Amino acid sequence: MMARVLSGARHRRLPFAAAAFVALLSASEAAFASFLSGDALDSMAMGIAWGVVIVLPVALIVLFWKLHVLPEKIAEARHHPQKDAIHVLCLLSLFVGGLLWPLAWLWAYTRPVTNVLAFGTDKHHDYFHEMEVRWRAGELDDEASAELLEELDEMARKARLPGSLGKLRREMAASLNNRPVAGADSAEKVPATPAGEGGSV
């Protein structure tokens, strides 16, 4: 008996709850999904569509290319002696879905020990051409010039230097050897005693 009474009370409350919910919805103001309307909304939608269709693919292509040539840029910054091979590996990686790109990345950071053993240096020849330009412009101090000459000497002991580097080595050696030693001109000279002069005490 009690269950029937409670069930009847619940059924009587449902119409009132539904009516209150409908009244609440009708009393609320209309909501807008955007602060724009009309032609402004159409123009904004058209701009977003053009950006997605044209600008976004171009930006993704540029980003992909920048990342893909990053090993080559790293090799150039480190004066890697095998940077040309790393450049070719980056290009080949484009045709195999980027599978060779991690190998090019690791190669750019490796120290070419075999190149040191074979040629006496771990730098590309472009590095020495850049240093030659700086040396001729007078931008290298004595210490840097001596280090550069020492590296060229080590390369000459391992293999024959190319014509331009061999010429640079000879010119640097002549320049450093002919440079006066600091303090040599100010050294005191002891006059020679003529023969027969100077008596015993």
Side-chain angles (χ1 to χ4, degrees):
M1 184 66 178
M2 183 63 67
R4 291 179 181 179
V5 173
L6 293 176
S7 177
R10 289 176 183 173
H11 285 295
R12 286 192 298 271
R13 290 176 184 174
L14 287 177
F16 293 105
F21 182 70
V22 172
L24 182 62
L25 290 178
S26 61
S28 61
E29 297 181 358
F32 295 97
S34 174
F35 60 92
L36 299 175
S37 61
D39 295 338
L41 182 60
D42 294 339
S43 300
M44 180 179 177
M46 185 63 66
I48 294 175
W50 279 110
V52 172
V53 172
I54 297 179
V55 178
L56 184 61
V58 172
L60 290 177
I61 291 174
V62 171
L63 179 61
F64 172 78
W65 180 255
K66 292 290 186 181
L67 290 176
H68 203 78
V69 299
L70 191 58
E72 178 187 352
K73 299 299 182 182
I74 294 173
E76 290 180 356
R78 295 168 62 90
H79 304 288
H80 201 289
Q82 297 155 347
K83 67 176 184 177
D84 297 328
I86 296 173
H87 170 69
V88 174
L89 189 63
C90 289
L91 292 179
L92 290 177
S93 182
L94 290 173
F95 300 97
V96 293
L99 295 178
L100 300 177
W101 186 83
L103 180 60
W105 179 284
L106 293 175
W107 194 357
Y109 276 106
T110 56
R111 187 173 185 271
V113 180
T114 56
N115 201 86
V116 176
L117 296 176
F119 303 104
T121 182
D122 59 351
K123 297 181 179 65
H124 196 273
H125 285 176
D126 291 346
Y127 165 78
F128 296 99
H129 294 313
E130 294 174 4
M131 297 299 288
E132 177 183 3
V133 173
R134 294 182 58 188
W135 178 72
R136 295 188 185 281
E139 298 178 0
L140 297 182
D141 55 12
D142 294 345
E143 184 178 356
S145 300
E147 291 179 358
L148 179 60
L149 180 59
E150 183 179 353
E151 197 161 4
L152 290 173
D153 290 340
E154 182 65 24
M155 292 171 60
R157 283 192 289 269
K158 296 288 185 179
R160 182 180 178 85
L161 291 176
S164 58
L165 294 184
K167 180 182 178 181
L168 173 64
R169 176 172 173 257
R170 291 190 297 269
E171 292 181 1
M172 290 189 68
S175 174
L176 293 176
N177 291 335
N178 293 335
R179 184 167 297 174
V181 180
D185 295 336
S186 61
E188 297 181 358
K189 298 181 179 179
V190 180
T193 303
E197 294 186 3
S200 57
V201 179

